[in-house]
Amino acid sequence: MDVAQIVATALAGAVTVVAVVLAVRAVLTITAVIRQGQPDPARFENPKARTKTMLVETVGHTRMFKWSAIGAAHWFVMVSFLILFLLVVEAYFEVVDPELGLPIIGHWTVFGLVTEWIGILGMAGILYLVFVRQRQKPGAVKRSRFLGSTMWQAYFVEAVIIGVLIFGFLIRGFKVATDHFEYPLWATPVSHAVGAVLPAWEDGATWAALVKIAISMTWLITISLNPTMGVAWHRFLAFFNIYFKRSPEKPAGSGLGALKPMMSEGKPLDFEEADPEKDLFGVSQVEQFTWKGLLDFSTCTECGRCQSQCPAWNTAKPLSPKLLVLSLRDHAYAKAPYLLAGGGKDLMGEEKATEAQLAHMDVLALAEGNRPLIGGVDENGIIDPDVLWSCTTCGACVEQCPVDIEHIDHIVDMRRYQVLIESSFPSEAGVMLRNLENKGNPWGAPQNTREDWTKGLDFEVPRVGEVEDFEYLFWVGCAGAFEDRAKKTTRAVATLLNEAGVNYAILGEGETCTGDPARRIGNEFIFQMLAQQNVETLQEANVKKIVATCPHCFNTLGNEYEQLGLKVEVVHHTQLLAHLVKEGKLTPVQPIEGDVTYHDPCYLGRHNRVFDAPREVLGETATLVEMPRNQERSFCCGAGGARMWMEERIGKRINVERTEEALATGAKTIAVGCPFCYTMIGDGVTGKGKQDEVEVVDVATVLLRSLKQEA
């Protein structure tokens, strides 16, 4: 070793020691914060499925490839980080002696070939991601997905990756120039090209290796000093966050479909035995989220995909799923010293710490600990109430998140506390909740009018109790029974089932609301009351299969009643109709006039992956033209999450945004598969003054018209 190698080795060793010490401290900090969360034992179940899903999503980049070009670029950057980590290790040997390399595999030509091309493609990938960030940065586009992200952190990470890759090629170039390079030209063309223009400087590889190490350790030091730097930490935490997702068997976001039940101390809350002084009723403090929730917040990459797809954000509402998660993350880490020192509030709001403990606490952490989780600017709250109540629970954020953050679960948990304990929610929703509790439906209609939709039909609708055996229970739903437009769908479906000879029956007055709007607004108590009543009714009727016209009923019956012990096969009416058409039991006679565009309901499409059946039916009856945002990227109608019963006072109406997109296709018919969507899109068309030119109807009505050729 000459002087250059001695100095370089000493500097590399010193900066590495500092970086490693700080990194260990940061890992301990992150772990300590996450451990403040509530228990969630179900996250450890089914380790084989979890491992498989984690590997498929990370190695296969299945979530990232939904945005193909960006997904491909990110894949090469990810692989270059993993593979080229070996070259950072190799740099320590090259600092000591330029002729040294990675032990064992460092002299294999295949190793040189793989690392060369990973470096080339990784450079191309990171440059493309830099280009995308610049093209879509705040100010360059309206409602940028990067708005609110900590931009310096992203620029820093991108610069580090570029720097490490450049100095990797410089090391190899100096080795080529000094004839110390072991790989042939065909395997490492870029390295040889760089070496051709570099001087034969014997110490060149040593100093280049030192700079590469310095860049890498500067990155490690920086992220260690910033444990909330999700744009960097996600490359470690994402593996864990994906592994511990709620439903590893689901191909899309694990927070879609069924909501997580209310939990206390890691167990589902039993309302008959629950005690507000001992049990959690939702979330009112950040530490009342589960440890997985705190891991979610820590893992956020700030990429803004959720933000770009959110209907609230796109219509100038204050809700951004990304900013909500970042607010909770920053609050959790700012409050952590207070919690770790013994502070915190019990369920009655009393301080846990003694006066002596409080006297020695960090003042800023103590102040953070006294901030309300939900509150306006005047209250210095973490999450503004308008943010909390803007959510339609459409699932676009969960669908798009590349690291499986479960936004909806966290939003509903906060809503639960506000509704059940604080009685704080939009006033107009109170009428809906009272109607559910007293009348069994959100409209407050008399129960004895549930069968009025059957009047005037030229056939008898069979009822449970009047027929001994039936294949399908036709779940009409509250909208299908009481709302005038939805009644048209109910009558159309009943007519089609009758013509196809399907053996079905209805519950009639024995049916009540599934409880979906109560659960999504946060009133788990009313949901449980309605759900238990329905489960008992369905079990007594020995129901095995259900067909539902409302995706919210479809989702609740099929996914959430299982939490109460009911297991039945539930299909949406478009699925059954598509099957009947394939079987030849329903045969369209002639396509209807004009093009048709189809609006995917969130709770049918994104939440439950039913995309094809409605299109198969429409494809047999009309010429289908798609809206730009369709299937898993469909734009919400604005009615989910109990928003159907809340006034939209901020920004542009979501249903108007979606209606404009539908009208832009030029279609004469907008087909829907949900009574809520029927109302919202129908109102949007009327609001645009296009009701005489464009008609909104259910898929079932389109099929019925094609069969009978009648209006």
Side-chain angles (χ1 to χ4, degrees), residues 602-619:
C602 300
Y603 273 84
L604 181 64
R606 194 155 38 235
H607 277 277
N608 285 285
R609 323 309 295 172
V610 179
F611 301 119
D612 296 334
R615 289 174 170 80
E616 290 170 1
V617 174
L618 294 172

Side-chain angles (χ1 to χ4, degrees), residues 76 79-80 83-84 86-87 90 106 108-124 164-176 181-195 212:
F76 285 118
V79 172
S80 69
I83 299 296
L84 299 185
L86 296 174
L87 297 188
E90 186 177 50
W108 295 355
T109 298
V110 67
F111 177 73
L113 173 68
V114 169
T115 51
E116 179 87 355
W117 283 99
I118 289 296
I120 294 169
L121 295 172
M123 179 67 78
V164 167
L165 290 170
I166 287 174
F167 276 89
F169 283 114
L170 285 175
I171 293 170
R172 289 186 165 188
F174 278 118
K175 283 188 169 185
V176 170
F181 198 51
E182 55 269 74
Y183 307 124
L185 173 62
W186 65 266
T188 53
V190 173
S191 296
H192 279 271
V194 172
K212 182 175 181 177

Side-chain angles (χ1 to χ4, degrees), residues 1-13 95-97 206-207:
M1 292 176 66
D2 59 21
V3 174
Q5 280 75 47
I6 293 172
V7 172
T9 300
L11 291 174
V95 161
V96 175
D97 185 345
T206 292
W207 293 117

Side-chain angles (χ1 to χ4, degrees), residues 93-107:
F93 292 93
E94 292 162 334
V95 161
V96 175
D97 185 345
E99 296 187 30
L100 293 178
L102 202 64
I104 303 175
I105 63 173
H107 298 283

Side-chain angles (χ1 to χ4, degrees), residues 98 173-181 199-203 205:
F174 278 118
K175 283 188 169 185
V176 170
T178 55
D179 202 26
H180 297 317
F181 198 51
W201 182 23
E202 288 293 336
D203 294 332

Side-chain angles (χ1 to χ4, degrees), residues 572-583:
H572 189 250
H573 72 283
T574 58
Q575 292 177 296
L576 182 54
L577 295 180
H579 173 73
L580 295 173
V581 170
K582 284 181 182 178
E583 292 289 310

